[in-house]
Amino acid sequence: MYSSKEHPENSTVFNIVILLSLKGSQHYYMNVSDVISFDILISAMKTGNQSFGTDFLLVGLFQYGQINSLLFVVIATLFTVALTGNIMLIHLIWLDTRLHTPMYFLLSQLSIIDLMYISTTVPNMVVNFLSQSKTITFMGCEIQTYVFLALGGTEALLLGFMSYDRYIAICHPLHYPVLMSKNICCLVVACTWASSSVSAIIHTLHVFQLPFCRSRLINHFFCEVPALLSLVCRDTSHYEYTVLLSGLTILLLPFLAILASYARVLIVVFQMSSGKGQAKAVSTCSSHLIVASLFYATALFTYTRPHSLHSPSQDKVVAVFYTIITPLLNPFIYSLRNKEVTGAVRRLLGYWICCRKYDFRSLCSLRINNLKSCS
């Protein structure tokens, strides 16, 4: 007679086979996602991983057969471009003293968040793809969940404060130096980091003290709260109300503030500016709103729906937008359309070219002098 105590590494597979057999008696058919997940589980068992009982398995984003390599190249390219864009913007704001203003201080904070935000999920996903390993430790999953929630909440609150900055600058320019002083900016940014970190650690500690089922198979490409709740072996409906409340507070309220701020800005611009100024304002505000809507709408879609309405394949596609696409677009939308930033880029390039020419001339003159001395 089979005993799971004699073969602990096979007990999970044994339980799943029994579950599928019971479902089969009720005319249940496994879909493609179930087959892929079950195959990953069997593969992990065959590797003889002794820590499987405590570790998690990530199904990942690359599960489409022949196009996996192409998808990997696309994700890696987007990650590289996002890193490059955010690092360059941070470096540019730090170097150019003309950009040492509240607006660009907030923009540099956004780039720092995006830099860390995209680095929380993509590198681990890439390593798993290259090493063919789907395992993530319990502690690693917990840390990833906390960092992701903290950074995501901070970005959501910071985007709302950035729209308030633009509202004050355009609608109340005389009060701008007082309302957006350096001390106020630093205080607000510190509050966004602190509040998001506290919220993240509360949710993380609560989720990871829940009893997880034996499979530990996360049908996602990173450790996210909705995906983890599907593994919990008890009713989580009460906790889902807490997640909903947090989502409405951290995501919906800042998004409504952004809509209200830009609506007021457009009203003021249309009352004061010419046709050319109006067209520029509409173009700038619309691009900002599109990127903000992409972030908030997809995050709200994930964190404000009940668990029964979640679909793993759908959640993974939606998560790509607020984990990869938004950090990629932010530095370009908020900077390249800005004359001050493009001017700073030209000044920096001009300075670099001049330095290169000066170094080249110095090197040539040094070589000529050496040749003359040798002759």
Side-chain angles (χ1 to χ4, degrees):
M1 183 176 178
Y2 179 85
S3 173
S4 61
K5 294 181 179 180
E6 296 176 2
H7 304 279
E9 71 279 3
N10 296 327
S11 60
T12 304
V13 177
F14 181 71
N15 293 335
I16 292 178
V17 170
I18 292 177
L19 178 62
L20 293 178
S21 300
L22 292 174
K23 290 183 176 180
S25 64
Q26 302 173 2
H27 304 287
Y28 172 81
Y29 298 95
M30 295 177 68
N31 55 31
V32 176
S33 179
D34 292 330
V35 173
I36 293 172
S37 301
F38 189 69
D39 180 65
I40 291 172
L41 184 62
I42 296 297
S43 300
M45 288 298 185
K46 289 180 179 179
T47 60
N49 187 359
Q50 299 300 320
S51 61
F52 180 76
T54 57
D55 292 351
F56 291 97
L57 288 174
L58 292 169
V59 172
L61 190 63
F62 308 111
Q63 47 176 296
Y64 300 99
Q66 295 180 349
I67 67 171
N68 278 347
S69 298
L70 177 61
L71 186 60
F72 169 77
V73 172
V74 171
I75 295 296
T77 303
L78 294 179
F79 176 68
T80 304
V81 173
L83 284 185
T84 304
N86 284 291
I87 290 174
M88 288 182 62
L89 184 58
I90 295 170
H91 191 61
L92 186 66
I93 293 173
W94 180 67
L95 287 177
D96 198 318
T97 55
R98 301 183 189 182
L99 300 181
H100 292 179
T101 62
M103 173 184 173
Y104 293 106
F105 169 71
L106 298 177
L107 189 56
S108 66
Q109 289 294 309
L110 180 63
S111 291
I112 292 172
I113 293 171
D114 284 335
L115 193 64
M116 300 169 63
Y117 195 53
I118 196 171
S119 300
T120 304
T121 57
V122 176
N124 183 68
M125 180 170 55
V126 170
V127 169
N128 287 347
F129 175 78
L130 294 177
S131 64
Q132 298 298 316
S133 172
K134 306 290 184 178
T135 305
I136 182 170
T137 64
F138 186 91
M139 181 60 69
C141 188
E142 192 170 11
I143 292 173
Q144 187 182 55
T145 302
Y146 166 73
V147 174
F148 179 81
L149 289 176
L151 293 174
T154 304
E155 177 160 348
L157 297 175
L158 185 65
L159 286 172
F161 186 59
M162 289 175 66
S163 69
Y164 172 77
D165 170 77
R166 291 299 84 206
Y167 164 74
I168 296 297
I170 295 174
C171 300
H172 303 283
L174 297 179
H175 299 286
Y176 186 80
V178 177
L179 296 177
M180 293 299 297
S181 65
K182 182 178 179 181
N183 291 335
I184 292 178
C185 286
C186 292
L187 178 63
V188 172
V189 170
C191 288
T192 59
W193 279 97
S195 58
S196 298
S197 299
V198 171
S199 175
I201 198 167
I202 291 173
H203 283 288
T204 303
L205 292 177
H206 180 79
V207 168
F208 282 88
Q209 59 85 32
L210 295 172
F212 291 104
C213 300
R214 291 298 303 275
S215 68
R216 300 293 182 99
L217 184 65
I218 303 174
N219 199 346
H220 212 309
F221 60 89
F222 69 100
C223 294
E224 192 173 27
V225 170
L228 289 166
L229 289 181
S230 63
L231 304 182
V232 177
C233 296
R234 78 179 188 197
D235 181 38
T236 59
S237 57
H238 289 89
Y239 174 66
E240 288 180 30
Y241 287 115
T242 306
V243 175
L244 174 62
L245 180 61
S246 297
L248 294 177
T249 304
I250 297 177
L251 295 171
L252 185 59
L253 291 182
F255 186 46
L256 293 177
I258 290 173
L259 294 178
S261 298
Y262 279 116
R264 182 57 183 164
V265 166
L266 289 176
I267 291 173
V268 172
V269 169
F270 272 84
Q271 290 176 346
M272 299 176 59
S273 301
S274 61
K276 186 177 180 180
Q278 292 173 1
K280 181 181 177 182
V282 170
S283 175
T284 302
C285 290
S286 61
S287 61
H288 290 185
L289 282 175
I290 289 172
V291 176
S293 300
L294 186 66
F295 174 77
Y296 286 106
T298 52
L300 284 168
F301 181 80
T302 299
Y303 285 92
T304 58
R305 286 186 304 155
H307 175 66
S308 58
L309 298 180
H310 278 271
S311 168
S313 57
Q314 191 178 59
D315 287 347
K316 282 187 281 189
V317 173
V318 172
V320 168
F321 286 94
Y322 57 82
T323 58
I324 299 175
I325 303 299
T326 302
L328 169 69
L329 294 178
N330 278 340
F332 300 102
I333 294 298
Y334 285 99
S335 62
L336 292 184
R337 298 173 63 89
N338 190 306
K339 289 184 177 181
E340 293 179 342
V341 174
T342 54
V345 171
R346 285 194 294 267
R347 287 192 297 271
L348 185 62
L349 289 176
Y351 175 78
W352 182 78
I353 292 173
C354 289
C355 290
R356 294 287 294 179
K357 287 182 179 180
Y358 176 78
D359 291 341
F360 179 74
R361 289 173 183 173
S362 299
L363 181 62
C364 290
S365 61
L366 180 62
R367 288 182 177 178
I368 291 172
N369 291 333
N370 289 337
L371 288 174
K372 287 182 179 179
S373 61
C374 292
S375 60

